[in-house]
Each structure stands twice: as C-alpha cells, then as structure tokens.
Amino acid sequence: MNEPELRAVLSKTARQTVIQGLNQGASGNVSVRLRDGFLITPSGLPNDTLEPALMVFVDMEGQAGGSLKPSSEWRIHRDLYRARPEVAAVVHAHSPHAVSLSCLRRDIPAFHYMVAAAGGKDIRCAGYATFGTQALSDWVLAALQDRRACLMANHGLVAVGAGLDAALALAVEVEELCAQYWRAKLMGEPVLLSDAEMDEVLERFRHYGQRGAKQAGA
Ligand SMILES: [Zn+2]
C-alpha cells in the first residue's frame, strides 16, 4: 500500500478500536510501518475523530514530520519496528478487562488454547513504568520476546502483526481472553493446559500459517 492508502487504513483502524470496545476517547494508539519509519495516530485527539491527514509520520530516530505531535507512546512503536522486522503494525489499547488484569501484574497462563494466538504458552505482563518513557518501551519489548501480544502493568495491552488487520484482531482476542480468564477465576481455579498440549496448539497454528488470530481460532 502507498502512503495515502496506509493513512486511510490507519485512521480507520483507530476508529475500529473504539467501535470494538478496545479504547475510549483518546486512549491507546495505532501505527503502521512506512518506508524508513512509521505512521502513528496523533497525541491527545479522540480516536473516533481521526482522519487520514492527521496521521503523523515518525522516522526511526524519533523525528516527527508535520505539525501534529505523535502519540506519547511512539517509542514503543519505534522500538518494535527496529527490533522486529516481521512487525508491520502495532495496536496499543486500554481495553477494560486487559487493564483490570494488568493491575494484578500477572501473566495470563494457558487456561485456553487461544492464548497461543499471542505466539507462546502464556501472555506476559510487562513491568510498570510511566507512560511515554523509554523505560516503559524497554519493559514492553522484553515482554514481547517470542510473542505478538502482552499486557502492560497498570496500563493496558499491546498487540503486533504483519498488518493492521492482524494486530487489531489479536488485540480483540487478547481482550476477550482477559474477560474469559477473569470469569473463570471468579468461579474457581482454571485447569491449565499442559506444555505438551500447548506445544500441539502452537504447532497447529504454525501449520495454518501467518494468518490473523481470528482465522487461527476454531
Ligand atoms: Zn496507553
């Protein structure tokens, strides 16, 4: 896709995060890789008012083009594009169940096989640091080691993908898993899948290729 197309898809994805219940107001942010940098949603503007022209280009040195400031979490996006060549889109959200679980600062274990949609046998919770800081970006990159999604302590979630559709679908999936895990914990201690059972799921997901989390679900 060329830049005008990416601007259009990115602003539409930001609106989708509100429609799908992942974000409210100006919370969260979305980006897509472009040339030697990325396009990201602007700082402080409500997601459901975003237009293609308001998307901000940021290069890998963190220099923003245009007059609008990029989202305060641009470092997380920049560092992911630098460290992970396969990542072409990043979705960050303050979705209700992910935020609630992130305040417990615990990883989500293999209570359901779809946990493997994030790339491993658990979904980690990144450590806490003030929003917008390099320290927070460092925590998130560590929690995303060999993973495509993580929680962020007392904050929210991050999901990455080879495209905006895949990253958004995974963010929706993780939010739903958080809701399911919370409900199961209300009733007792969930029985966890074994390492062998999760190995089989991960193998099956690999076999089905690099499609989005939703497509990988059965
Ligand atoms: Zn945030």
Side-chain angles (χ1 to χ4, degrees), residues 28-29 73 92 94 152 155:
N29 35 74
E73 298 296 6
H92 164 51
H94 297 185
M152 305 156 72
H155 189 149

Side-chain angles (χ1 to χ4, degrees), residues 23 26-29 71-73 76 92-94 131-132 136 152 155-158:
N23 279 322
S27 72
N29 35 74
S71 157
S72 56
E73 298 296 6
I76 295 175
H92 164 51
H94 297 185
F131 77 94
L136 178 57
M152 305 156 72
H155 189 149
L157 68 82
V158 176

